[in-house]
Amino acid sequence: MSGFRGQVTLDGPSGTGKSSVARAVAARLGAAYLDTGAMYRAATVAVLDAGVDPEDGEAVAGVVAAARIEVGTTAGTELVRVDGVDVAVRIRGAEVTRAVSAVSAVPAVRRQLVDQQRALVQAADAVVVEGRDIGTVVLPEATCKIYLTAAPEARAQRRAGQLGVTDPAEIAAIAADLRRRDDYDSSREDSPLRPAADAVVVDSTDLDRDQVVDRVVELAQQSVGVSR
């Protein structure tokens, strides 16, 4: 056992490898894992299935309030359901990706899901939580706060690798979409994407996943006085 007891927040933009890093860190620390982005994507599935315009904040809030969104907290198993239906694969699709920023910018949606996130965190002695506003809004008193970033070109290449894309034009389109999401998430009025004042910024541009995991685990253990 690692001896870690506390909360690790892992924030940052799309394409930095947050999900794979957070899962690996949780496994190393013997901690629960929560992907808050999956919750917003699940909410987006509910909105799309209801035929609601993602830009219609009032209608979006009503749909999400009525939806039953479930996410798992086990690092090795992805569980994402909307009203009992497994949407773990669907939430990563292009349709959801295009709409999720608009849905997640609705203040009422954020309030609802933040309440769920805090409840899930409170049930765990040790937890790794990834997202965009965890260290700043969801868990401002977290034990260890990390902001994971990388150069836009590196992020686009990684996302292309995940999708099996090799065509330069498609990779350029991925980079443009990442920049669009960054701009949208960073400029929204409610819970914008930004590092917490006391977060440690980890730049993964020139690091592989294992090196990033090692660094985050080291920072987490240092935060509670546990030696490696």
Side-chain angles (χ1 to χ4, degrees):
M1 295 295 290
S2 72
F4 177 80
R5 291 294 178 270
Q7 303 162 343
V8 177
T9 65
L10 194 61
D11 290 312
S14 299
T16 55
K18 289 196 307 293
S19 293
S20 61
V21 168
R23 286 180 182 278
V25 169
R28 288 266 297 272
L29 295 176
Y33 161 77
L34 178 60
D35 177 359
T36 64
M39 299 178 77
Y40 288 102
R41 285 174 174 270
T44 303
V45 167
V47 169
L48 294 172
D49 285 353
V52 166
D53 182 353
E55 300 287 346
D56 184 341
E58 184 175 352
V60 164
V63 169
V64 177
R68 181 161 53 92
I69 295 171
E70 303 170 84
V71 296
T73 56
T74 301
T77 304
E78 184 168 30
L79 184 154
V80 187
R81 289 194 287 245
V82 177
D83 294 328
V85 177
D86 183 347
V87 296
V89 174
R90 187 179 169 196
I91 63 171
R92 307 300 174 187
E95 182 186 27
V96 171
T97 297
R98 283 192 297 268
V100 66
S101 287
V103 171
S104 61
V106 177
V109 170
R110 300 200 72 81
R111 287 194 295 272
Q112 177 182 335
L113 296 188
V114 166
D115 285 345
Q116 284 186 242
Q117 292 157 16
R118 287 174 176 160
L120 290 167
V121 167
Q122 288 172 1
D125 291 330
V127 63
V128 178
V129 188
E130 61 144 311
R132 282 173 169 71
D133 65 344
I134 312 306
T136 54
V137 175
V138 182
L139 300 172
E141 304 300 323
T143 314
C144 177
K145 301 178 188 178
I146 307 295
Y147 189 85
L148 185 61
T149 188
E153 298 80 9
R155 293 162 52 205
Q157 288 289 347
R158 289 171 186 168
R159 181 56 55 85
Q162 293 170 354
L163 299 173
V165 172
T166 58
D167 180 72
E170 291 185 61
I171 294 174
I174 290 171
D177 186 61
L178 289 174
R179 286 193 294 271
R180 178 190 62 80
R181 287 202 63 193
D182 289 351
D183 291 342
Y184 200 121
D185 293 344
S186 299
S187 61
R188 68 188 179 211
E189 293 184 9
D190 195 300
S191 306
L193 169 66
R194 59 180 174 82
D198 54 348
V200 177
V201 177
V202 176
D203 189 326
S204 67
T205 301
D206 298 317
L207 303 176
D208 62 28
R209 195 204 69 158
D210 290 343
Q211 290 173 315
V212 177
V213 171
D214 286 344
R215 177 61 175 148
V216 175
V217 168
E218 178 183 33
L219 290 166
Q221 292 176 328
Q222 288 175 352
S223 73
V224 295
V226 176
S227 59
R228 296 185 68 180

